[in-house]
Each structure stands twice: as C-alpha cells, then as structure tokens.
Amino acid sequence: MSVIELQSVYGGYGDTEILHGVSLKVDPGEIVVVIGPNGAGKSTAMKSVFGLLSLTKGQVLLDGEDITNTPPEKVVRKGVCYVPQTENIFPSLTVEENLEMGAYVREDDFKPRLNEIYELFPPLAEKRKQSAGTLSGGQRQMVAMGKALMLEPRILLLDEPTAGLSPKFRGEIFSIVKKINSIGTPILMVEQNAKQALSIADHGYVLVDGQNKFFGSGQDLLDDPEVAEMFLGGGKAVPEASV
Amino acid sequence: MDALYGYMLYGISLATMGGIYAVLTLGLNVQWGFAGLFNAGIAGFFGIGAYTTAILTTSATHRHIGGFEMPYIVGFLAAMLICGVIAYLVGKVCLRLRSDYLAIATIGIAEIFRLILKNETWATNGPRGVSEIPKPFEHWPEPWNQFGFLLLVLVVVAIVYVLVEVARKSPWGRVMTAIRENEPSAKAAGKNVENFRMEGFVIGCMIMALAGALMAHYLKFVDPNATDPLLATFLVWVMLIVGGSANNKGAILGAFLMWVVWSATEIVTSRLPDELAIRAAYIRIFLIGLMLQIFLQKFPQGILPEKRPDVAKSNGNAETKMAD
Amino acid sequence: MADFINFYFIPGLLLGSIYALGAIGITMTFVILRFANFAHGESMTLGVYFAWSLVQITGWHPLVVMPIAMILTVLYALSIDRLFYKPLRNAPVVMLVVASFGLMLMTRSVIQFFWGVQLKSVLPGIQKPILVMDYLRISPKHMMIMASALVLMFAVHYLLTYTKIGKAMRAMSDSPELAKLTGIDTEKVVVATWVVGAALACAAGVFLAIDTHVETRMGFKLLLPMFAAAILGGVGRPYGALVGGLIIGLAEEISSYPFIGTEPLLNPGYKAGVAFAIMIGILIWRPSGLFKGKVF
C-alpha cells in the first residue's frame, strides 16, 4: 500500500481551481519528486495532502486511510510532516527550541530523537543555543527538516527545499534528503532544480496546468527528450494577474 | 399647541444632529467602507474642525486666540484644510503599515489634541471652551432660524453624498474596492496602493472636519468634550456598521437611525430617578456596544449591504497567481 | 542630582514597569491574535476594581488580594474572547480591532455602572518615604511595587523560556502559520496569551492604583503608552515590551525635568504626548522596533 496517494484531486483557493485531477503516490521508502513549470500546481498538490486547501473532488489517502480535507493540525498528528518553502523555522527561537517545537505533539520523551537529529545534522548540535534566525540558508533548511523529523514522521513533504540556495548548498541539501530517506522516511518533494532532484528520485511526476503530464522513474524522466526539452526551454509562462 | 410646537423643534434638532452625524459617517465610509482603514480618532478630526472654525469666525475676545470674524465659508474650508494636512502627515507615517497602526495613531492624535485643549488655555480657553460662535440664520425668527440651519445641514449632507457617490462609481472608487478585496493583485496591476489609501484617508478626515465645523456653529459652543471618543468616534462607528459599510445610503441611514435610537433611549433614561438615570446611561452605552458586536458577527453587511460597481470585471482573474 | 533621582528617575522607573507589564499583553495579542487590542486598558481597569472590591471585603492589603483579582480578570478576558473575538477569528483582522474598540467602551460602561465614577483608593493613608543613603527617598509602597513588578517579570521570563506553552507562544509570535503546520495547539496558545496578558494587565493596574488612585479612565490613559511601548520594543517581542515600557515611562517623567534653567523641559501636561511622539518616531525610522518585531 502507498504511504500517500492522491486520487484524481480537484481543488484550489476560493473559486479558483488549480488542480484539475492530479494523481500521484508515494510508496514506502521512496523519494518522489514533483516537477513542472511555474504555476503548474506542484506546491498546491503538496499542500492538498496537508489540508491547506479544500478539494472539491478526489481523495487523499494516508496508508489507505481517507484524509481528504483534514485540517493541517490533525494531519500532523497522523504523522505527516510538511516543510514549507519559506518561513519554515521560528527565527527567534534557538535551534534546540525549534526542534522541541517540532516534537510538540509528541507525548513521550523526545530527547533520544533530539540526539539522533543532532547526529544527522552535526552543525546544528554546535549551534543548539543559537537563535535559528542567525543561521545560514543551508543550516536553516537543516533546522526546518530536523524540526519536521522530530516527529519520526510516516512521510516527509518538502516544498522546494533548495529554493534560494547557492549550488554548493543545493548539493548538500539533496544529499541530506537522500540520507533522511536512507534511514527509512519516505519523501515527497517539489523541486525547481529538476535535474538534481530527479537524479536522487525513485519516481518523478511532471505536472502541467494542474494535470499529470509525465510519470516515470527518476532516470527515465531524465532520459526523456520531451521532459528535457521542457525544462531546458523553461516551460510556458502563466499570464500575469491583472486588475 | 405649545406641546406640538415643542415636538416640532425637537424633531428639527433631531434631524439636524442626525444630519451632522450623517456627514461624519459618510467621512468614515470613505475611509472604512472604501479604503478599509480603521480610524479610531474620529473625535480628534471632528474636534479640530470644530475648533478651527470657532476660532476663525467668532468676534474678538480675550478668552482665546482668534476672533477674526471670518465668514462661515472660510471657517469650513480652513477646518477641512487643516484636518487634511494633519491626516496627510499621519497617513504618511502609518499607511504603509497595516490598518492597526493607523488606528493607534489616530486615537493618539485625538488624545494629543485633547491635551492641547487642556493645556493651552490662552489659545483655547481650556475646559470652558469657545462660546458665542456665530450660527447661520440665527437672526431669523424662531422656528425659521432652526429650519434654516437644518436646511443648511441637509444641503451639506446632499453635496457630500453626491460627491462620495460619484467617487465610488468612478474608476478611483473601483480601484479602491479592488485594493480592499485583494491588495496583492491590485499591487500586481501596478496600482500605487499607498497613494489610493492616502487619498481615501485625507478625504475622509476632511469630511469629518466639515461635520465638526457644522456642529460648532450649530451648538454655538465647543469645548474639549467634542473630542469625547464615545460620542464622536464610537457612535459613528456603530452608525456605519449598522447602516451598511461601503454603502453611502447605508451610512446616512445608519446615522439618522442610530441618532434617533440614541436620543430616544436618553429620553427614557432621563425620566428615571437621579441615581438610576446616571447608571442607566451606562447601560445605554453597553447596549449600543452590544448592538455593534451583534452586527459585526451576524450582519457584517449592515442594513443596506454594499452594491458593487462592476468590480467583477476588473478583479476576476486576480487569484490565478496564487497557484505555486 | 538627588532631586533628579527621587522625583524623576524613580517615578519614571515605576511608571515604566507598569507600562512594561501592560504592554506584554498588547504585544502578544497583536502578534498571536493579529490585532491591536483597544480593550486591553479596560481589562486593566476592571482588574483594579476587582482588587478594590476584594480589599473592601477582606480588609487585606491590595497586593495580597491581587492574585484573586488577576484570576477574575483572566476569566473576564477568556469569556470576552469566547463571545466576541472567537466568532470573528476568520474574518478580516480589522473587524477584531473594531470589536475591541467597542468592547473598550462596553467594559468601561459596565465598570461605571457597578462601581460609579468617583475616585477611590486601594491603599488609604499617606506613607513617609524611607531615606536611603541620606538622600535617596523611596516610599515603602514604591519599593513594594518595584519588587512585585520584578517578580512578575521573572515569572514571565521563566514561562517564556522554560515551559512548553511559553516556547509555543514565542513560536506562534514568530509565525502563526508555521505554528499550525508544526502541530502546535494554537487555540491553547491563544488561551495562554489571554491568561498572561490579562493577569499582567490586572497587576499593572493594581500597581498604578496603589501609587495613585482608582478611577474608571485609568486603563484608557495607559492605552497609548502601552501601544507605544509594544511598538518601540517590536511587536510580538515580550522582552521588547519590557524594555519599551521602561523607556517610555522614564522618558515621560524625565521630559519634565528642568534640564535648562528652572522651567520643566516639557510642560508636564504633555507627558502623555511623549509616548505618542516616540511611537511616531519609531514608526517612521524603525517600524520593527528595537528587538526586530513583526511589521504588518
């Protein structure tokens, strides 16, 4: 059974529908990457898992359980953790306090998990008493992911974790993602840096205009000439909003 | 016969006060209804308007500065001008921030103005206030003098109404609605949101100053109580929310309606024995406040809901950019 | 110099601590519930009247009955939240500001209805100041107020740094959206915000009442300085509110010290204007305040 499965979902914000029947799934132990041009609904599809927008049709299943339109605070308690693209840490809290907040819904002792996170991200251990807002971009991403991992989630959702990072940090983040995955956490990730992301992915989806366009293993998509052309060409732009 | 005559005079005073409040409420509607701005210091602008005209139009006296015996029209225009300038300065500081800051700053302006009234007695005659303010038509025989003033107020209400109604339906008004509905998309369309807000705020404050000036001439007297947040700020808010924000007819309806309710309850409470009458006055404020809360929660549209001037067309595809 | 300390600095510190405690509630409500709470001053007034009544009933010292008054004020704040703010939580925030403005006058009218408008006193009698080091004159009641204020400030510090709910409050003031995504129980944080804000408002009011007297407009008079303190410290920064409150209090008192000649630098009648001037200045030059608060 898939950890997460979107079954032909429709929905958006207010009256504006953005997803027109998107389907995707993440199987246990997988890294699944969603790519596509700007405005394709990639992040929106991910947010729909987390109950951040209302779906009008279709279903979201978590290990077979219907969690369609469950509000975010309840989805977290079911063990789904979401790392937004921006504003994903509490800047005025220390690194350690950020991680503690990640464990907010845990009733048991989270200390052992805290140590595991510090082993996974050694730079954070050094700066545990420093306020997270003072860290570098890459380290902030580590805090954001570490915070999400405090729950030992059933699945981790990452929204463009490398956005705004330098190429050096980008590589670092991708290797961290792989590392997190290797210790057993399935990952659903939306990415702009399609090439690097697909190279670590088990499967990839290409969304265009709120619909599935391509699906395949990471390598297959990388080799697909049409996909390659789309991303080399930059994809088609969405008309700017006007008043 | 005498009783009937008394009722008639009472009716005229009710209508006159209702009309002055209608001007105030229309001013607030430009700020809140059109631009979504919270002005918590209506009383300040109202008071500044009242004092400006009072000082300019009274005859010479040693009790306060001024006494220039200027014509009414100069008093009105100066009141509006001064409030416009103050509003511009406040707006300059606060309008780039969210509405709360403007609310705090406007209530601050009202309080500072009250301090000036209290401390600068040489200029304002302190708590004793400015009296012997001339009143248009006051030399006409009773009741025609009262009628005359009522007519003046109603003409001002009509002029202000027509002007703000034209503004609401104009492209300017449509942009205002678009900003209030969806600021990011208005910005994306290249509208200078801050400028539009500034215009709404300044115009609103000028209208409030005009109402203050009318009140000063009507009562022939103004004292620091003019800046009382209860009568000059709170009541105006209740009027607009009850009447219907963003609807100019609603603003006028709310003003007259709530002034009648307010005055009628005063008649009831004033008949109670002394001790009770004082306490009942507080219940009155409480009930009016409760009415505001009920409208906010259950009927946020007010009695006359907003009528949209074709916003849909200009605003339709605005949300698409939310995706991703 | 002794005059400066006795009549300007110490009163400034005293007033500053009162502003500081009041401003914590303002700043936390501003950032966690996302609105400027105009009724906060009235929570303070109500708390003072609770304390006054308790003093009348028990005959105890106001500081002894203060904890009970704080609890009553908290209950008031929580029921107000339930009845008037919660229904508007999904409406545009400015509706909450309007609602709080209405509640300001409603609460005051209730106070005036039950307790009347005459001046009252929670601590009758005049106390002789104690002479310290020959020239420092501090009255016992001022020492009591300062000591209690310090205790409360440390309590707030402990709550925010060492308890789970306190950390969650800070997290939510950083980002309410992320707090929700993280699974923080935001309704619980909202409740905690009201509890802390109302309790401290009550305490600040009681301190002011011990120093001066009890009247129905006392909370409203503090509203502007408390907003100024919150903005000066940085919206959403409780430590900023503490510092901001102290600065505003000191500035208000010291502004009327005769630095030049024998005339007060600023007519004491304009003390309240000092807070406003500082607030406008900070909004112009540094809207995020001293401690990098939120700017909406």
Side-chain angles (χ1 to χ4, degrees):
Chain A
M1 198 191 305
S2 303
V3 186
I4 278 287
E5 186 168 0
L6 299 191
Q7 293 181 336
S8 175
V9 296
Y10 290 75
Y13 306 97
D15 294 334
T16 321
E17 190 181 271
I18 292 163
L19 305 177
H20 317 289
V22 171
S23 300
L24 58 85
K25 60 177 186 150
V26 182
D27 284 332
E30 273 193 332
I31 297 181
V32 173
V33 168
V34 182
I35 58 173
N38 272 331
K42 308 183 294 284
S43 293
T44 312
M46 179 175 272
K47 283 177 184 160
S48 75
V49 176
F50 214 66
L52 286 166
L53 67 152
S54 53
L55 296 178
T56 47
K57 251 199 278 180
Q59 276 194 321
V60 181
L61 302 178
L62 172 67
D63 284 326
E65 181 196 355
D66 185 0
I67 59 160
T68 318
N69 292 333
T70 309
E73 57 271 26
K74 290 203 176 127
V75 183
V76 181
R77 282 164 200 276
K78 292 184 184 295
V80 179
C81 283
Y82 166 64
V83 180
Q85 183 185 338
T86 54
E87 283 195 40
N88 48 23
I89 57 163
F90 300 114
S92 78
L93 269 58
T94 64
V95 169
E96 184 145 313
E97 285 170 339
N98 265 282
L99 298 179
E100 271 181 71
M101 284 299 111
Y104 188 90
V105 301
R106 286 182 76 137
E107 311 272 327
D108 56 345
D109 183 20
F110 58 80
K111 285 274 155 45
R113 183 62 178 173
L114 191 64
N115 291 327
E116 284 173 35
I117 301 293
Y118 283 142
E119 275 167 37
L120 191 62
F121 305 111
L124 298 190
E126 287 166 35
K127 304 197 165 169
R128 60 173 80 191
K129 296 287 170 209
Q130 201 170 319
S131 61
T134 60
L135 301 182
S136 69
Q139 288 170 342
R140 280 163 176 251
Q141 277 307 339
M142 290 184 198
V143 174
M145 286 189 221
K147 178 175 147 295
L149 289 171
M150 283 300 289
L151 272 190
E152 300 175 46
R154 286 151 83 174
I155 181 164
L156 185 62
L157 312 178
L158 301 175
D159 194 348
E160 300 200 19
T162 67
L165 294 183
S166 67
K168 180 185 150 238
F169 278 126
R170 241 182 263 158
E172 205 172 311
I173 294 293
F174 284 124
S175 58
I176 289 168
V177 170
K178 244 186 116 83
K179 206 159 148 196
I180 295 170
N181 179 251
S182 67
I183 51 176
T185 311
I187 289 170
L188 175 62
M189 175 165 71
V190 167
E191 255 303 325
Q192 287 284 7
N193 300 301
K195 223 172 178 174
Q196 274 174 295
L198 287 175
S199 67
I200 62 162
D202 295 298
H203 285 103
Y205 289 84
V206 180
L207 298 191
V208 173
D209 287 338
Q211 283 172 322
N212 289 62
K213 183 90 178 179
F214 300 102
F215 164 70
S217 74
Q219 197 54 48
D220 286 351
L221 287 177
L222 278 173
D223 296 341
D224 187 308
E226 214 177 329
V227 174
E229 197 234 356
M230 259 182 81
F231 288 100
L232 290 174
K236 93 173 195 264
V238 166
E240 265 301 301
S242 58
V243 171
Chain B
M1 191 58 209
D2 274 359
L4 205 63
Y5 185 67
Y7 283 130
M8 187 187 74
L9 283 184
Y10 183 71
I12 292 175
S13 81
L14 214 56
T16 312
M17 286 297 286
I20 293 173
Y21 270 107
V23 177
L24 265 178
T25 313
L26 283 170
L28 180 64
N29 197 26
V30 174
Q31 298 179 339
W32 168 250
F34 294 10
L37 300 172
F38 187 103
N39 183 343
I42 302 171
F45 296 98
F46 177 78
I48 293 170
Y51 267 90
T52 305
T53 192
I55 281 168
L56 287 177
T57 58
T58 44
S59 43
T61 165
H62 60 274
R63 287 193 297 270
H64 54 83
I65 53 160
F68 301 113
E69 284 188 87
M70 299 265 192
Y72 301 113
I73 187 77
V74 176
F76 288 151
L77 291 178
M80 291 170 76
L81 187 72
I82 289 182
C83 275
V85 171
I86 294 174
Y88 175 79
L89 294 175
V90 176
K92 202 78 199 147
V93 177
C94 298
L95 283 179
R96 63 211 157 99
L97 305 166
R98 212 181 62 186
S99 196
D100 305 50
Y101 293 90
L102 185 72
I104 298 168
T106 44
I107 206 168
I109 290 282
E111 284 305 298
I112 299 291
F113 181 61
R114 185 207 285 285
L115 288 184
I116 295 174
L117 293 183
K118 252 173 44 191
N119 287 301
E120 308 302 322
T121 40
W122 58 273
T124 62
N125 201 21
R128 283 187 301 278
V130 176
S131 53
E132 290 171 40
I133 304 169
K135 181 177 181 181
F137 318 115
E138 63 186 325
H139 300 300
W140 293 8
E142 180 109 359
W144 302 110
N145 54 356
Q146 305 287 355
F147 261 126
F149 197 87
L150 173 60
L151 205 65
L152 172 71
V153 169
L154 294 181
V155 167
V156 172
V157 172
I159 293 172
V160 173
Y161 170 78
V162 169
L163 290 179
V164 293
E165 193 63 12
V166 167
R168 185 180 70 90
K169 288 179 179 159
S170 71
W172 182 83
R174 284 205 292 273
V175 175
M176 287 297 239
T177 316
I179 291 174
R180 195 159 39 92
E181 298 290 297
N182 191 339
E183 192 182 321
S185 73
K187 263 192 188 138
K191 305 292 177 200
N192 188 333
V193 171
E194 207 180 308
N195 278 1
F196 276 93
R197 286 218 174 109
M198 177 69 91
E199 285 153 16
F201 183 62
V202 169
I203 292 169
C205 285
M206 289 170 78
I207 297 175
M208 288 167 184
L210 179 63
L214 279 173
M215 185 78 96
H217 290 294
Y218 177 58
L219 300 175
K220 294 179 61 57
F221 170 73
V222 58
D223 70 1
N225 282 333
T227 62
D228 177 18
L230 174 68
L231 279 175
T233 302
F234 179 55
L235 205 52
V236 183
W237 269 101
V238 179
M239 287 166 171
L240 183 60
I241 302 275
V242 169
S245 353
N247 182 322
N248 290 319
K249 283 197 195 75
I252 295 176
L253 171 76
F256 281 102
L257 182 72
M258 289 314 295
W259 182 250
V260 169
V261 169
W262 180 253
S263 308
T265 50
E266 185 173 24
I267 297 175
V268 175
T269 55
S270 65
R271 298 215 167 154
L272 295 168
D274 272 359
E275 173 65 10
L276 245 90
I278 296 169
R279 296 198 164 210
Y282 301 127
I283 299 184
R284 204 154 66 106
I285 300 168
F286 180 81
L287 290 178
I288 294 276
L290 197 59
M291 192 163 166
L292 172 76
Q293 306 290 354
I294 291 170
F295 266 84
L296 279 180
Q297 285 183 25
K298 307 285 178 206
F299 316 100
Q301 300 269 324
I303 298 173
L304 297 179
E306 178 181 9
K307 283 203 200 80
R308 287 299 167 78
D310 270 349
V311 200
K313 255 185 267 165
S314 52
N315 206 24
N317 55 359
E319 284 101 21
T320 21
K321 65 178 275 291
M322 295 289 288
D324 268 336
Chain C
M1 192 57 198
D3 269 7
F4 178 78
I5 293 180
N6 288 332
F7 301 116
Y8 298 90
F9 189 75
I10 291 176
L13 220 50
L14 200 71
L15 193 62
S17 341
I18 291 168
Y19 291 161
L21 291 176
I24 291 177
I26 296 244
T27 207
M28 296 307 274
T29 325
F30 206 152
V31 79
I32 287 175
L33 287 116
R34 306 251 128 174
F35 75 100
N37 181 12
F38 278 77
H40 192 68
E42 258 45 49
S43 305
M44 183 176 264
T45 316
L46 188 66
V48 172
Y49 278 89
F50 284 143
W52 180 82
S53 291
L54 289 165
V55 168
Q56 302 308 305
I57 295 165
T58 59
W60 295 340
H61 191 278
L63 287 180
V64 178
V65 298
M66 194 171 81
I68 307 170
M70 285 161 88
I71 292 170
L72 292 173
T73 314
V74 165
L75 292 177
Y76 154 82
L78 290 176
S79 29
I80 291 295
D81 181 56
R82 181 56 59 85
L83 287 171
F84 298 108
Y85 298 138
K86 207 173 175 190
L88 294 173
R89 216 156 280 169
N90 292 319
V93 274
V94 70
M95 298 295 252
L96 287 163
V97 189
V98 180
S100 80
F101 191 78
L103 280 163
M104 171 175 97
L105 287 146
M106 284 165 76
T107 307
R108 197 188 306 163
S109 66
V110 168
I111 294 169
Q112 288 166 333
F113 176 79
F114 283 110
W115 283 284
V117 290
Q118 316 78 324
L119 288 188
K120 297 180 196 314
S121 170
V122 280
L123 195 66
I126 298 169
Q127 290 173 312
K128 269 221 178 92
I130 301 168
L131 231 57
V132 187
M133 293 188 300
D134 289 343
Y135 66 92
L136 273 189
R137 298 151 64 90
I138 303 176
S139 82
K141 68 177 184 184
H142 286 173
M143 283 205 266
M144 267 182 324
I145 294 173
M146 297 290 271
S148 321
L150 266 174
V151 168
L152 285 174
M153 287 175 192
F154 274 109
V156 171
H157 171 69
Y158 179 84
L159 176 88
L160 292 173
T161 335
Y162 297 105
T163 66
K164 188 175 176 183
I165 189 73
K167 288 174 199 172
M169 285 171 79
R170 278 165 54 221
M172 200 165 159
S173 40
D174 267 1
S175 167
E177 293 79 22
L178 185 61
K180 220 169 224 170
L181 299 182
T182 308
I184 291 174
D185 186 343
T186 49
E187 271 306 311
K188 207 164 150 189
V189 176
V190 166
V191 168
T193 306
W194 286 118
V195 171
V196 173
L200 293 179
C202 172
V206 171
F207 296 158
L208 184 66
I210 292 174
D211 189 32
T212 58
H213 46 253
V214 180
E215 54 131 348
T216 54
R217 280 176 55 89
M218 60 193 297
F220 181 70
K221 283 183 188 159
L222 259 58
L223 191 62
L224 204 54
M226 290 190 300
F227 274 132
I231 291 172
L232 174 61
V235 170
R237 300 282 172 251
Y239 298 108
L242 286 178
V243 175
L246 286 171
I247 292 176
I248 301 269
L250 281 170
E252 282 192 3
E253 292 295 335
I254 291 174
S255 69
S256 47
Y257 182 74
F259 285 104
I260 308 155
T262 52
E263 287 291 300
L265 187 68
L266 184 79
N267 176 350
Y270 286 114
K271 266 185 202 170
V274 173
F276 184 73
I278 294 177
M279 185 179 82
I280 293 293
I282 205 88
L283 285 180
I284 293 173
W285 287 294
R286 197 184 158 94
S288 62
L290 298 174
F291 286 67
K292 270 213 197 151
K294 290 266 163 174
V295 182
F296 295 108

